[in-house]
Amino acid sequence: MLRRLFAVLAVLSLPLAGATVVGGATAAPPAAAVGERQKKPTYQATIRVTKHGIPHVTGKTFSDLGYGSGYMAADASACTLVDTLITGRGERSLWFGKDARYDDQVTLEASNLQVDAFVTDLRNRKVVERLLADKVNGPGRQARALVRGYVAGANRWLRDNKVTDPACRKHAYLADHAKGLGKVTELDLWYGVYLANLLASSGVFLKEIVDATPPSPSDPGIPDPGDLPVTLGDLTPAEQEAVLEGLGRGAGNPFGSNATAIGGDRSTTGRGMILGNPHFPWRGRYHFTQQHLTIPGKYDVAGASLIGSPVVNIGWNKKVAWSHTVSTAYRFTPYEYTLLGPTTYLSDTGPQALERRQVKVRVRQPDGSIGTVDEDLWRTEQGYVAESPATLMLWTPASAWAIRDANGEHLRTIDTFLEMGKARNVRDLLRRQDRAAGMPWVNTTAADRAGDVLYADHSVVPNVPDALAQECMTPVGRVLFELAGLPGLDGTRAGSSCAWRTDPDAARPGVFGPTNLPEVVRRDYVMNANDSYWTPHASVRLEGFARIIGCERCERTMRTRMVTQYVEDRLARRGGAGKESPRSLRRHEHENRLRAAEVMAVGNDLVELCNATGETAACGVLERWDGRSTRRSVGTHIFEEFLERAPEGSLWEVPFDPADPFNTPRDLAETNADVQAALKAAIEHLRSEGVPLDARWGSLQVAGDRGARPIPLGGGMGDAAGNANALASRKPVQNADRYKPITYGSSHIQAIAFKDRGRVQARTILTYGQYENPRSRWHQDQTRLFSRGRWVRFPFTSAEIARHLVRSVTLRGR
């Protein structure tokens, strides 16, 4: 046993391959490093790795930072990084087979062939190449340098190291780097970035774009008479929910986040603080790794980055900290075109033929040979034709729909995050964000050293003011607008009176400028939990903005109400003079209060409801339940199962009131037969599944990502239950025998407080760990901390890094 332990420790203490050790144990540099010293390197980055595997990259240029960032991204997530690049090449069918499924864990679930057909056509059209040549919509010099360095660093790691992660180490594309994947190019990464931009727009309709087929005598695409809605009332509640699901806006989509910023007037420090918790996948393309990027005297930013991102997406510098929450705004509009034939549409200038895009996708056959499959895609001047019955967009002999995508018209995302990292305060942060004009699909919440806090939805939104929508919506487009806030516009006028407008202060044509986007700066607090911009504070209402950005005077989720209630309760102390401290703010993350349970507990309504079911044992559990979702809570599973079945229309006695959005709806309808039946069905379900009614929550809800041990977790259902520590189980790959194995939700959580004398107090937790490889010591170390409600003291200053240093390396390369 001791011999095995010493062997493991010896492996863990090895330096990063292909690097020169400059701190810790001394080792001779590898031959490649010696050769590089003989000539001036193009890149040089010093990487200091601290506890939990957090890399702190220092360089003289942005290309140096990219080099270190790309190297460490491959070190932490080689399988996912390479998978992302293969996706950006349109080569999933080549390496994994055309029928296998690709699931980005967010909005896209499609066959490899469908993904490859879409990406191959983007590449055939040279979409990214054109944007790279565009001085307005393309990336700037520093962003290009970051990407150039990142790709070089990733190539360096793949060249010098052997992948040990069981998920991909035996795959053919890694067996021989030269013959398999080959050298990663900057264009590969840019296409990966571009596809991430499309996550909430064309990515939602990727299958419907690839599978769109012109009507024919055998398949005219015409629904049964009377099936097409003329008004919203023509859709049943189930049909309405199906449309929302098709748009990626359904109740079953957990993609979201929380962010709360406390201003200097209500913080004990007199300065700004922020608690940010993005709810993202625990695996795949959209999971985070942490990093710290520094150019001495010029740039110093830490936080978290999505796989394939050389910049910090959520983080802080010495003067400002920010987080993001998924915005309710749309990034696209569908245009409905009148057809004069199956593939001829009417436009402003007369009849036009749909552009038929024929692509050939390389696929690996079952016998290992390589063949090709032909696919057709169709386009109008505005964008791809999408045949999406789920969202009422059909291709019939009378009409067809095409998608214009605002995020498909720029490549400014990396610039946007890069510029935010240079901000001096929250107003400067927003100015820089607006100038870069590439925030793809999220709100921004921020706090600064001076004590100001910001909420803004200045993301990329098609410039479709309500007046334009009213003038241009088709009958079906109006149904989409009334149901989901998405205007379906008249494609026959897409190039003239129904074209997107342009604001004088917009960075480019067709999107809203800052003046027409919501924002507020305060000194007490702001928050967002994925509801619209309307209520960034309990007493603030932002109104008068276009419906395509979000709804106003509309119901808030219980999660939004809980995030707000945490702060309101704290500030109500001492006769309304209470303040948030750094400790109290971060403590909210693990309090695991459930706002729905708190509201239902008023008047003992929840217990009375249970008593009406006759389920004595379960009612005893609910009566003793603490109303929370901590590891030790008993009864949380009964409550979550009840909410899964609760009838939305009859759950409350007092309905939503836009004059009181944080306190309505309320008063549980405990005497309603449907509500009683829902709770009884929940209890019967748990009994039939053999789940003990008195089980502790932590015995039921455990980590479920790849290679995870069943670590008990607090938190749980987000929107309906009102849990800010939102966790969800989506296609678990580990511990699937447990009641709720977690693969989604709370991810890179950061609690940042600015203090006197220039100090920054940074506490973070990456819930699933920095390294995706189950063999790494940094795979689940932070999951165990998260389970216990603990935090990582993120080293930010040189002295802090030195105290937590595990190893240090200098990379030189060309």
Side-chain angles (χ1 to χ4, degrees):
M1 180 63 72
L2 286 176
R3 183 176 299 171
R4 177 181 295 179
L5 176 60
F6 287 137
V8 171
L9 290 174
V11 171
L12 294 180
S13 65
L14 289 175
L16 296 172
T20 303
V21 179
V22 298
T26 302
V34 173
E36 289 166 359
R37 281 181 178 171
Q38 295 173 356
K39 52 189 175 182
K40 183 178 180 181
T42 302
Y43 309 105
Q44 179 168 321
T46 297
I47 303 169
R48 292 172 292 174
V49 179
T50 55
K51 294 177 182 178
H52 310 291
I54 301 171
H56 306 258
V57 181
T58 303
K60 294 181 179 179
T61 67
F62 283 103
S63 58
D64 290 342
L65 294 188
Y67 192 63
S69 176
Y71 189 94
M72 293 308 295
D75 198 54
S77 304
C79 292
T80 297
L81 178 60
V82 171
D83 186 272
T84 299
L85 296 169
I86 287 174
T87 304
R89 286 183 176 182
E91 293 183 349
R92 298 196 62 81
S93 300
L94 175 64
W95 296 109
F96 310 125
K98 66 182 179 66
D99 297 324
R101 309 298 290 182
Y102 174 66
D103 185 355
D104 71 4
Q105 308 292 310
V106 180
T107 60
L108 176 59
E109 197 280 329
S111 73
N112 286 336
L113 180 61
Q114 289 168 324
V115 174
D116 289 341
F118 181 75
V119 176
T120 299
D121 191 55
L122 293 178
R123 282 185 167 259
N124 289 348
R125 291 172 50 224
K126 298 189 180 301
V127 172
V128 168
E129 291 91 330
R130 289 195 182 102
L131 287 172
L132 288 170
D134 190 324
K135 294 183 179 180
V136 174
N137 300 314
R141 178 177 55 83
Q142 291 177 344
R144 293 170 191 265
L146 268 171
V147 167
R148 184 167 59 251
Y150 189 92
V151 167
N155 276 320
R156 168 71 177 273
W157 192 94
L158 290 169
R159 185 191 72 208
D160 292 353
N161 292 272
K162 182 177 180 180
V163 175
T164 61
D165 191 332
C168 67
R169 64 185 176 90
K170 293 184 179 180
H171 275 295
Y173 58 80
L174 288 177
D176 184 333
H177 183 44
K179 296 180 181 179
L181 177 70
K183 190 175 182 180
V184 178
T185 69
E186 295 170 46
L187 196 59
D188 294 336
L189 189 67
W190 281 118
Y191 268 101
V193 171
Y194 183 80
L195 290 174
N197 284 356
L198 306 185
L199 176 147
S201 45
S202 296
V204 176
F205 294 97
L206 185 146
K207 290 182 292 187
E208 291 78 6
I209 288 170
V210 174
D211 292 345
T213 306
S216 64
S218 61
D219 182 14
I222 303 174
D224 293 333
D227 277 1
L228 269 180
V230 177
T231 68
L232 182 58
D234 295 332
L235 295 175
T236 66
E239 289 170 334
Q240 292 180 24
E241 179 59 27
V243 172
L244 293 172
E245 287 285 350
L247 293 171
R249 304 297 177 106
N253 181 11
F255 192 44
S257 306
N258 314 317
T260 302
I262 307 297
D265 289 355
R266 301 311 294 265
S267 70
T268 59
T269 63
R271 303 184 182 279
M273 306 188 297
I274 193 167
L275 174 63
N277 180 0
H279 302 149
F280 272 55
W282 281 25
R283 64 184 189 274
R285 166 70 176 87
Y286 296 103
H287 87 264
F288 288 102
T289 58
Q290 296 173 319
Q291 63 175 341
H292 180 188
L293 305 176
T294 304
I295 299 175
K298 182 177 181 181
Y299 193 76
D300 193 17
V301 182
S305 307
L306 295 174
I307 300 299
S309 172
V311 286
V312 170
N313 302 124
I314 291 176
W316 68 94
N317 62 27
K318 295 174 183 176
K319 296 182 178 180
V320 63
W322 69 93
S323 194
H324 297 297
T325 53
V326 175
S327 159
T328 58
Y330 287 98
R331 317 298 157 189
F332 66 96
T333 61
Y335 278 100
E336 185 177 15
Y337 293 84
T338 299
L339 295 185
L340 303 178
T343 60
T344 302
Y345 66 96
L346 187 61
S347 74
D348 311 76
T349 57
Q352 299 284 337
L354 289 173
E355 181 185 5
R356 183 181 182 183
R357 304 287 309 171
Q358 296 177 295
V359 300
K360 292 184 178 295
V361 178
R362 297 174 68 204
V363 302
R364 188 174 298 273
Q365 309 287 5
D367 63 1
S369 63
I370 307 301
T372 61
V373 173
D374 295 340
E375 287 285 352
D376 292 343
L377 291 77
W378 300 82
R379 286 182 58 83
T380 70
E381 289 181 309
Q382 304 304 316
Y384 285 108
V385 173
E387 187 175 12
S388 176
T391 58
L392 313 179
M393 293 186 282
L394 305 176
W395 192 347
T396 72
S399 70
W401 294 79
I403 304 294
R404 182 178 176 187
D405 189 338
N407 271 330
E409 299 176 6
H410 77 90
L411 200 58
R412 297 284 298 167
T413 308
I414 291 178
D415 293 83
T416 302
F417 291 112
L418 177 62
E419 284 300 313
M420 290 172 64
K422 302 174 185 177
R424 299 182 299 274
N425 53 58
V426 297
R427 287 183 171 85
D428 185 42
L429 181 140
L430 190 58
R431 282 193 297 268
R432 290 173 179 274
Q433 185 182 123
D434 290 337
R435 188 163 59 242
M439 186 55 69
W441 28 259
V442 290
N443 305 289
T444 299
T445 302
D448 66 28
R449 178 169 294 283
D452 287 331
V453 292
L454 162 78
Y455 162 78
D457 187 352
H458 281 211
S459 53
V460 175
V461 187
N463 193 328
V464 182
D466 290 348
L468 175 63
Q470 294 299 330
E471 176 188 347
C472 291
M473 285 186 290
T474 65
V476 174
R478 192 170 296 277
V479 173
L480 291 173
F481 187 72
E482 293 175 357
L483 172 61
L486 176 65
L489 306 179
D490 181 2
T492 63
R493 295 183 286 154
S496 55
S497 58
C498 294
W500 295 353
R501 301 296 189 245
T502 297
D503 289 339
D505 60 342
R508 59 180 171 273
V511 296
F512 282 117
T515 302
N516 286 317
L517 294 169
E519 67 179 78
V520 63
V521 174
R522 296 179 63 84
R523 289 193 58 82
D524 51 1
Y525 78 90
V526 293
M527 56 71 60
N528 184 265
N530 303 122
D531 276 321
S532 69
Y533 57 83
W534 180 49
T535 54
H537 181 286
S539 62
V540 174
R541 305 292 178 265
L542 301 179
E543 296 181 340
F545 296 94
R547 178 65 181 87
I548 195 172
I549 306 172
C551 62
E552 298 172 6
R553 303 179 64 78
C554 50
E555 187 172 337
R556 310 285 86 177
T557 66
M558 282 291 180
R559 180 161 59 89
T560 290
R561 290 167 65 175
M562 187 73 264
V563 172
T564 307
Q565 198 66 43
Y566 275 131
V567 180
E568 288 289 321
D569 287 351
R570 185 74 186 182
L571 302 189
R573 295 185 176 191
R574 297 167 55 198
K579 294 187 176 185
E580 287 275 17
S581 68
R583 178 176 292 182
S584 70
L585 181 62
R586 65 176 180 265
R587 188 180 293 156
H588 297 328
E589 177 59 39
H590 294 289
E591 289 184 53
N592 289 311
R593 291 168 57 182
L594 306 182
R595 189 59 182 158
E598 295 174 356
V599 175
M600 291 181 184
V602 175
N604 206 34
D605 285 353
L606 183 59
V607 173
E608 291 182 8
L609 170 67
C610 192
N611 289 337
T613 68
E615 294 283 356
T616 307
C619 296
V621 171
L622 284 180
E623 190 169 12
R624 295 185 296 273
W625 178 43
D626 62 6
R628 303 192 180 212
S629 62
T630 71
R631 292 183 304 163
R632 297 178 178 82
S633 296
V634 177
T636 307
H637 57 311
I638 301 175
F639 188 67
E640 284 201 0
E641 290 287 350
F642 164 56
L643 291 180
E644 289 281 3
R645 297 163 175 77
E648 187 176 343
S650 55
L651 184 60
W652 305 102
E653 293 177 358
V654 177
F656 170 70
D657 180 356
D660 192 14
F662 289 100
N663 295 299
T664 58
R666 66 172 183 269
D667 291 348
L668 179 65
E670 72 273 19
T671 62
N672 183 282
D674 291 337
V675 179
Q676 293 173 358
L679 180 54
K680 188 170 183 63
I683 297 167
E684 290 175 346
H685 170 75
L686 289 169
R687 187 179 293 118
S688 68
E689 293 294 316
V691 180
L693 297 177
D694 60 353
R696 285 190 173 189
W697 186 230
S699 70
L700 303 175
Q701 179 171 266
V702 300
D705 56 318
R706 183 166 60 90
R709 294 185 178 182
I711 297 172
L713 300 173
M717 179 186 287
D719 287 357
N723 198 330
N725 188 12
L727 297 174
S729 181
R730 300 186 66 185
K731 299 180 181 178
V733 293
Q734 207 76 27
N735 305 317
D737 59 327
R738 296 300 184 102
Y739 171 76
K740 191 177 179 182
I742 296 303
T743 61
Y744 203 103
S746 297
S747 56
H748 164 77
I749 309 170
Q750 62 178 38
I752 310 300
F754 295 104
K755 308 193 81 172
D756 292 340
R757 300 191 302 278
R759 292 176 298 152
V760 180
Q761 184 186 88
R763 301 290 184 268
T764 67
I765 197 77
L766 189 59
T767 55
Y768 37 75
Q770 177 78 356
Y771 278 64
E772 66 180 10
N773 186 348
R775 296 180 174 181
S776 170
R777 58 173 162 169
W778 293 319
H779 175 62
Q780 275 203 296
D781 56 325
Q782 294 194 63
T783 310
R784 288 187 285 271
L785 292 175
F786 178 60
S787 171
R788 301 195 297 269
R790 303 280 297 280
W791 294 85
V792 171
R793 294 172 178 261
F794 194 110
F796 189 58
T797 67
S798 295
E800 291 168 346
I801 293 169
R803 285 198 300 271
H804 293 85
L805 187 65
V806 174
R807 60 191 179 204
S808 180
V809 299
T810 294
L811 293 176
R812 297 180 177 87
R814 299 189 67 82

